[in-house]
């Protein structure tokens, strides 16, 4: 090549500069395309192994929260055992050091409750401050923990009860071997804690469901007053009709009636 045909130094410099700029532009374009592909890949709902979601574990429950959860399970087991008359399950829910009188009272109760037409029968933990367990009770149990929570019996009788009623239960429970069980429901008078008793706590019952013009009423009494129960059940429809004729419809024309003698813990 002649000297006149060879590119000058300036031409070579310009050409090499253009090549470098071209290379830079190509690299930038490639990077932009690669980033765009990654962003599209992420935002269309897919993810790569390097962008896996991070799961934050929830805080473990506090001791009080765990205790409430465990005792709630115990209360549900107790209610199911009594309502179904399952004596094996009932005895399984009792602490080895439970008061024998309490155990036997619950066994007798489990023979009566299934005969009452309950639409609801259960126990709820209340939110009131817990009651201290008397030291003699706690020391005699020698358990991992002893608790006297606020508890309520929740019940409704099919027919007359449109919503459940809640009554207090003075309950003591104990934990041993990692499991909570029932100890007693005796009154703790020093803390003004009392257990409400229904007719089913006082022996066998005679139960009559009575259809009336206002719905279904229920008459409950003990066997020694069976004749009274039968008479009341027979007269109830006409008695309700007579009061309605005199007063009108604006009164509770159904309900459940007990012939149980009046006392502090009577339901009526």
């Amino acid at each position: 090549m002649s000297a006149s045909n060879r590119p000058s130094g300036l031409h070579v410099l310009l050409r090499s500069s253009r090549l470098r700029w071209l290379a830079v532009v190509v690299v930038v374009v490639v990077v932009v395309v690669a980033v765009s592909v990654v962003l599209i890949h992420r935002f269309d709902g897919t993810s790569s192994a390097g962008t896996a979601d991070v799961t934050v574990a929830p805080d473990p429950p506090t001791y009080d929260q765990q205790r409430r959860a465990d005792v709630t399970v115990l209360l549900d087991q107790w209610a199911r055992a009594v309502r179904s008359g399952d004596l094996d399950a009932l005895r399984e829910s009792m602490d080895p050091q439970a008061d024998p009188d309490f155990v036997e009272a619950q066994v007798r109760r489990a023979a009566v409750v299934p005969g009452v037409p309950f639409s609801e029968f259960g126990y709820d933990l209340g939110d009131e401050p817990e009651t201290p367990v008397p030291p003699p009770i706690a020391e005699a149990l020698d358990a991992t923990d002893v608790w006297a929570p606020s508890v309520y019996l929740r019940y409704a009788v099919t027919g007359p009860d449109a919503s459940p009623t809640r009554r207090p239960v003075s309950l003591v429970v104990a934990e041993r071997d990692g499991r909570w069980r029932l100890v007693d429901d005796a009154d703790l008078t020093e803390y003004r804690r009392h257990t409400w008793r229904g007719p089913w706590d006082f022996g066998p019952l005679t139960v009559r469901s009575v259809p009336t013009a206002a719905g279904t009423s229920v008459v409950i009494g003990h066997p020694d007053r069976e004749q009274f129960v039968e008479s009341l059940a027979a007269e109830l429809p006409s008695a309700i009709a007579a009061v309605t004729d005199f007063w009108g419809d604006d009164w509770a024309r159904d309900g459940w009636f007990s012939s149980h003698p009046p006392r502090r813990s009577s339901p009526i």
Side-chain angles (χ1 to χ4, degrees):
M1 177 182 295
S2 66
S4 61
N5 291 330
R6 288 199 305 267
S8 66
L10 179 60
H11 288 163
V12 171
L13 180 61
L14 290 174
R15 183 181 301 173
S16 59
S17 298
R18 291 193 190 99
L19 290 175
R20 282 198 298 271
W21 278 110
L22 179 61
V24 170
V25 171
V26 170
V27 170
V28 170
V29 170
V30 170
V31 170
V32 170
V33 171
V35 171
S36 300
V37 170
V38 170
L39 291 176
I40 293 172
H41 185 62
R42 288 183 181 176
F43 286 106
D44 70 356
T46 60
S47 62
S48 62
T51 59
D53 294 336
V54 177
T55 302
V56 178
D59 293 334
T62 65
Y63 178 78
D64 183 63
Q65 291 171 334
Q66 188 62 57
R67 181 172 63 174
R68 287 181 66 89
D70 292 342
V71 172
T72 296
V73 171
L74 171 64
L75 296 180
D76 291 343
Q77 292 170 344
W78 182 22
R80 284 196 303 270
V82 171
R83 188 173 181 180
S84 65
D86 187 341
L87 298 186
D88 291 337
L90 180 61
R91 292 186 183 278
E92 181 65 19
S93 68
M94 299 291 172
D95 186 81
Q97 300 298 321
D99 187 311
D101 291 339
F102 169 66
V103 176
E104 290 308 310
Q106 293 303 305
V107 169
R108 292 192 300 270
R109 194 165 173 252
V112 177
V113 167
V116 180
F118 287 112
S119 56
E120 284 195 40
F121 187 91
Y123 294 95
D124 300 323
L125 280 177
D127 295 323
E128 297 86 344
E130 64 182 83
T131 299
V133 178
I137 296 177
E139 292 169 4
L141 288 169
D142 191 27
T144 304
D145 191 9
V146 183
W147 190 28
S150 171
V151 175
Y152 292 89
L153 169 66
R154 182 190 72 257
Y155 70 90
V157 177
T158 301
D161 289 339
S163 59
T165 298
R166 297 172 85 231
R167 300 292 187 184
V169 180
S170 177
L171 190 67
V172 174
V173 294
E175 181 196 15
R176 64 180 81 243
D177 303 325
R179 181 176 175 185
W180 288 91
R181 293 182 177 89
L182 306 169
V183 173
D184 203 355
D185 69 346
D187 293 348
L188 298 175
T189 54
E190 61 268 48
Y191 301 116
R192 298 182 179 180
R193 290 281 301 276
H194 302 281
T195 294
W196 178 85
R197 310 288 180 186
W200 41 86
D201 289 297
F202 298 98
L205 292 176
T206 297
V207 180
R208 296 289 180 269
S209 293
V210 184
T212 71
T216 299
S217 295
V218 176
V219 182
I220 297 174
H222 295 288
D224 60 348
R225 307 192 74 184
E226 184 171 2
Q227 186 57 51
F228 175 79
V229 171
E230 296 295 349
S231 298
L232 180 58
E235 296 175 7
L236 198 56
S238 59
I240 290 176
V243 173
T244 301
D245 288 342
F246 175 78
W247 187 262
D249 295 338
D250 190 20
W251 67 289
R253 293 173 294 161
D254 57 1
W256 63 278
F257 308 88
S258 171
S259 64
H260 184 73
R263 62 179 75 187
R264 178 184 59 80
S265 56
S266 175
I268 300 297

